[in-house]
């Protein structure tokens, strides 16, 4: 108590109730509400000691004064109790009538508050304070009705907005418990688990054994995918209220989902992939609205499909998981791996970049990103295997055979004046110049050549390639022989004519092997 408090060193027996009431009033004016409440209580006890008869206006006033002090402390239940006492001793105490209605509003008893305000206005319609309070009540009531409607329809964002509007007409530091529960329910409905946790923990500090609040916490854990904690809080709520059917149903559901998930995991570990797929699928049907749990189930099912090499289906499940939980790191890794298998390197690079951004110190993510970036670059250059029409594991003889066939097919002497055939012929030669050289082929396969991609768009510029070597390898002795060199090939970027090639080409060959050129068109010259 402050040194100048009016009740310092006061001996109650030496003062009358009126004196104590006056001291309480001074404490109230100084903001010492707890002291005021104590002093009002002493004054009330002194008056009641004489066993007065009702009505007793003075005793009614003391109760009314104490209710005002309780109101200043935000304890509206105590304030309402003193209002009732005040009105029992004097039903005409208008201040107690007004404060009683106000306390009902602040306690969330909207219907009772409306009834009392209506009675006050019926007796005195000109009371402006009552009219203002009544209008505020109607404002609050309208928004609370909206809250109930939106929550019924699972429109949690709209419910929260209406609740926020209603709260503006209340003591925001001392909201009714039910309104705080509504706030937590809206946060859960919007899957805003951070706000939900804060609100629920605050409620539990006020009442740790309230079954509705314990159930809210169970729902929060369930929504976050923690079935074990959800079930534990449901059981605690049932201990407080054995007939709480919602808690019993949630405990049963969370147990069923967890059981199926574990069964699916066990089937996957023992390589019973079809069985694991079916179990995860059945688990997904138990609660389509639980995003966190279903994201895990889709991720697990994607792992099954990935192991079965059903990569496109696995990608679909990864997408579904990320739609439900955009921050599910493991799924980005799994999806990126499936993208790599399906040669969607740009998408894989994007996912690996996200993983590196999430965990910059993870060496595995950085290595996977580097590999994806190399494969992306490789996919954007010419695919020499595809040009020759062979697989990447094709052997030397298969590559030679494919080259011979295509070189004969697109040779300019067979396609005079055909620019497309000319370009294709050059492309085939470029491809063979790389794949026929073990060192260049190894660099091409590994992507080591990508550091200095040349003008061919394929990582090799063709410089130093002697086409005579290629043709001598394939066409020497094939009906008429080959002439000398190859003219007009400036590093394979500009090609002159080719001559002296024997064997079955239009126009024929002389006995000396010299090509007899047809008139016009594209010409290659040997020798």
């Amino acid at each position: 108590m402050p040194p100048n408090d009016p009740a310092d060193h006061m001996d109650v027996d030496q003062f009358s109730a009126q004196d104590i009431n006056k001291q309480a009033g001074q404490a109230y004016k100084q903001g010492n509400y707890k002291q005021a409440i104590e002093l009002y209580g002493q004054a009330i006890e002194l008056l009641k000691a004489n066993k007065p008869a009702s009505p007793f206006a003075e005793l009614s006033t003391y109760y009314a004064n104490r209710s005002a002090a309780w109101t200043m402390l935000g304890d509206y239940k105590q304030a309402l109790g003193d209002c009732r006492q005040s009105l029992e001793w004097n039903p005409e105490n208008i201040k107690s009538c007004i404060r009683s209605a106000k306390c009902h509003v602040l306690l969330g008893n909207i219907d009772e508050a409306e009834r009392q305000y209506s009675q006050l206005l019926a007796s005195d319609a000109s009371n402006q304070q009552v009219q203002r309070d009544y209008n505020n009540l109607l404002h609050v009531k309208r928004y609370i009705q909206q809250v109930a409607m939106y929550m019924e329809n699972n429109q949690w964002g709209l419910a929260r907005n209406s609740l926020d509007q209603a709260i503006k007409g209340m003591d925001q530091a001392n909201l009714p418990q039910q309104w705080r529960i509504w706030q937590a329910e809206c946060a859960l409905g919007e899957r805003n688990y951070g706000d939900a946790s804060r609100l629920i923990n605050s409620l539990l500090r006020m009442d740790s054994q309230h079954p509705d609040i314990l159930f809210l916490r169970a729902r929060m854990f369930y929504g976050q995918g923690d079935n074990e904690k959800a079930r534990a809080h449901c059981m605690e709520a049932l201990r407080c209220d054995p007939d709480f059917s919602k808690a019993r149903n949630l405990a049963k559901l969370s147990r069923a989902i967890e059981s199926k998930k574990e069964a699916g995991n066990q089937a996957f570990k023992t390589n019973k992939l079809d069985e694991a797929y079916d179990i995860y699928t059945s688990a997904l049907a138990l609660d389509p609205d639980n995003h966190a749990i279903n994201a895990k189930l889709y991720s697990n099912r994607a792992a099954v499909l990935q192991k079965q090499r059903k990569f496109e289906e696995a990608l679909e499940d990864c997408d579904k998981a990320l739609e439900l939980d955009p921050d599910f790191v493991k799924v980005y890794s799994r999806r990126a791996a499936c993208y790599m298998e399906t040669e969607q390197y740009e998408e894989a690079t994007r996912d690996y970049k996200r993983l590196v951004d999430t965990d910059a110190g993870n060496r595995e993510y950085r290595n996977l990103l580097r590999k994806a970036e190399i494969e992306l670059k490789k996919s954007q250059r010419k695919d020499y295997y595809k040009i020759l029409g062979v697989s990447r594991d094709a052997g030397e003889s298969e590559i030679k055979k494919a080259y011979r066939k295509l070189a004969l097919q697109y040779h300019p002497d067979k396609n005079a004046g055909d620019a497309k055939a000319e370009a294709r012929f050059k492309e085939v030669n470029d491809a063979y110049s790389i794949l026929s050289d073990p060192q260049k082929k190894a660099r091409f396969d590994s992507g080591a050549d990508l550091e200095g991609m040349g003008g061919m768009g394929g990582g090799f510029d063709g410089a130093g390639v002697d086409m005579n070597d290629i043709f001598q390898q394939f066409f020497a002795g094939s009906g008429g022989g080959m002439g000398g060199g190859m003219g007009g090939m400036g590093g394979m970027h500009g090609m002159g004519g080719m001559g002296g090639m024997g064997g079955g080409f239009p126009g024929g060959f002389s006995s000396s092997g010299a090509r007899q050129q047809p008139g016009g068109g594209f010409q290659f010259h040997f020798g």
Side-chain angles (χ1 to χ4, degrees):
M1 185 187 304
N4 61 345
D5 192 286
D8 277 354
H9 312 298
M10 184 180 70
D11 185 346
V12 175
D13 293 337
Q14 298 177 5
F15 291 86
S16 66
Q18 292 80 3
D19 292 331
I20 298 174
N21 180 64
K22 186 180 295 184
Q23 296 289 340
Q26 291 178 9
Y28 181 93
K29 290 178 181 178
Q30 293 173 2
N32 298 326
Y33 302 117
K34 290 183 178 180
Q35 185 63 30
I37 288 169
E38 181 180 347
L39 291 170
Y40 284 132
Q42 294 173 4
I44 288 169
E45 292 305 315
L46 280 176
L47 286 181
K48 291 176 70 175
N50 295 325
K51 298 182 180 179
S54 180
F56 190 5
E58 187 175 6
L59 187 55
S60 174
T61 298
Y62 291 178
Y63 274 115
N65 290 346
R66 192 170 70 174
S67 73
W70 283 119
T71 300
M72 297 303 296
L73 291 177
D75 193 336
Y76 304 116
K77 285 186 179 180
Q78 294 283 4
L80 182 59
D82 276 355
C83 286
R84 288 170 177 159
Q85 291 289 332
S86 174
L87 291 170
E88 284 184 9
W89 290 102
N90 180 13
E92 302 302 321
N93 189 325
I94 190 64
K95 287 186 177 180
S96 291
C97 289
I98 295 173
R99 187 169 291 116
S100 174
K102 181 71 172 179
C103 286
H104 277 297
V105 174
L106 296 171
L107 289 169
N109 304 325
I110 304 301
D111 291 339
E112 178 60 21
E114 184 175 14
R115 186 188 70 80
Q116 292 189 12
Y117 277 127
S118 296
Q119 289 180 344
L120 286 166
L121 289 172
S123 61
D124 183 6
S126 64
N127 191 314
Q128 294 184 355
Q129 178 187 349
V130 172
Q131 187 63 58
R132 284 194 301 272
D133 289 347
Y134 182 62
N135 290 338
N136 178 68
L137 168 67
L138 295 179
H139 174 85
V140 170
K141 181 180 180 180
R142 181 172 67 254
Y143 282 116
I144 290 301
Q145 289 173 337
Q146 291 177 4
V147 170
M149 177 185 68
Y150 290 136
M151 289 178 68
E152 180 70 22
N153 295 323
N154 295 328
Q155 295 173 288
W156 302 107
L158 294 174
R160 175 179 50 78
N161 289 337
S162 293
L163 185 56
D164 288 345
Q165 293 299 319
I167 287 172
K168 290 179 180 179
M170 304 288 285
D171 178 1
Q172 298 183 33
N174 297 282
L175 289 177
Q177 184 184 65
Q178 183 57 53
W179 288 38
R180 294 179 184 272
I181 290 175
W182 289 339
Q183 284 182 309
E185 288 183 333
C186 288
L188 287 175
E190 292 186 283
R191 297 185 174 87
N192 185 344
Y193 297 112
D195 281 357
S197 178
R198 174 180 56 80
L199 291 163
I200 293 169
N201 288 339
S202 175
L203 284 164
L204 285 172
R205 282 193 292 270
M206 293 186 287
D207 188 349
S208 63
Q209 297 300 305
H210 195 298
D212 287 333
I213 300 172
L214 289 167
F215 180 64
L216 282 176
R217 199 150 197 254
R219 284 179 55 197
M220 181 189 73
F221 285 123
Y222 176 70
Q224 292 176 307
D226 193 333
N227 287 314
E228 183 178 349
K229 289 183 179 179
R231 194 160 56 251
H233 280 76
C234 284
M235 300 310 295
E236 184 66 24
L238 285 168
R239 277 191 285 271
C240 297
D241 180 4
D243 297 325
F244 198 169
S245 59
K246 288 183 178 180
R248 183 176 292 105
N249 292 338
L250 183 60
K252 183 179 179 180
L253 177 60
S254 61
R255 187 182 298 111
I257 292 174
E258 191 66 20
S259 176
K260 280 191 174 292
K261 183 164 74 73
E262 289 302 320
N265 293 349
Q266 185 60 34
F268 179 82
K269 291 175 183 177
T270 55
N271 211 35
K272 298 176 181 177
L273 300 181
D274 290 337
E275 181 181 337
Y277 181 91
D278 291 340
I279 293 172
Y280 289 138
T281 300
S282 63
L284 282 164
L286 291 176
D287 185 3
D289 292 329
N290 191 312
H291 287 195
I293 291 175
N294 288 341
K296 293 178 181 178
L297 291 171
Y298 276 122
S299 174
N300 290 357
R301 197 170 73 172
V304 173
L305 293 165
Q306 184 182 14
K307 198 169 184 179
Q308 293 176 318
R309 302 194 65 78
K310 298 178 180 179
F311 298 114
E312 293 295 343
E313 293 178 53
L315 285 170
E316 291 178 7
D317 272 4
C318 286
D319 289 342
K320 290 175 182 176
L322 291 172
E323 183 179 345
L324 297 176
D325 184 359
D327 298 320
F328 200 159
V329 172
K330 183 188 294 184
V331 180
Y332 284 104
S333 178
R334 180 161 290 139
R335 187 171 72 172
C338 291
Y339 279 140
M340 292 292 287
E341 292 287 352
T342 54
E343 299 184 4
Q344 300 179 67
Y345 301 121
E346 186 172 355
E347 291 81 357
T349 299
R350 184 186 63 231
D351 278 354
Y352 282 133
K353 280 183 178 178
R354 183 184 181 105
L355 290 169
V356 170
D357 290 342
T358 302
D359 185 2
N362 191 307
R363 182 178 299 176
E364 180 184 1
Y365 290 160
R366 294 201 306 271
N367 290 337
L368 289 169
L369 173 59
R370 189 177 302 112
K371 180 180 178 181
E373 289 175 334
I374 290 174
E375 292 300 324
L376 176 59
K377 288 181 180 179
K378 288 166 65 176
S379 71
Q380 292 170 339
R381 67 182 177 179
K382 289 182 179 180
D383 186 341
Y384 292 134
Y385 290 99
K386 187 174 181 181
I387 289 171
L388 294 183
V390 297
S391 65
R392 288 186 172 272
D393 57 357
E396 180 181 355
S397 61
E398 186 178 352
I399 291 172
K400 286 180 180 179
K401 182 178 180 181
Y403 169 69
R404 178 183 177 87
K405 177 181 177 181
L406 293 171
L408 290 171
Q409 179 181 350
Y410 292 106
H411 191 281
D413 284 348
K414 291 184 66 176
N415 301 276
D418 187 339
K420 289 185 178 179
E422 175 192 346
R424 185 80 172 93
F425 180 69
K426 178 179 180 297
E427 194 175 47
V428 167
N429 282 315
D430 290 344
Y432 184 70
S433 71
I434 300 304
L435 298 184
S436 62
D437 185 313
Q439 290 185 346
K440 291 180 180 179
K441 181 178 182 295
R443 285 176 58 80
F444 177 80
D445 289 342
S446 67
D449 60 295
L450 293 171
E451 294 300 323
M453 293 178 69
M456 287 178 61
F460 296 91
D461 61 8
V465 176
D466 189 344
M467 294 304 298
N468 283 323
D469 292 341
I470 297 176
F471 280 92
Q472 285 173 2
Q473 181 180 356
F474 282 97
F475 300 110
S478 56
M482 295 181 65
M486 191 172 185
M489 293 185 65
M492 292 187 69
H493 291 292
M495 300 179 70
M498 185 188 302
M501 188 178 218
F505 284 85
F509 290 87
S510 67
S511 59
S512 64
R515 178 78 166 91
Q516 296 178 3
Q517 299 292 348
F522 189 88
Q523 298 185 3
F524 272 75
H525 299 280
F526 283 101

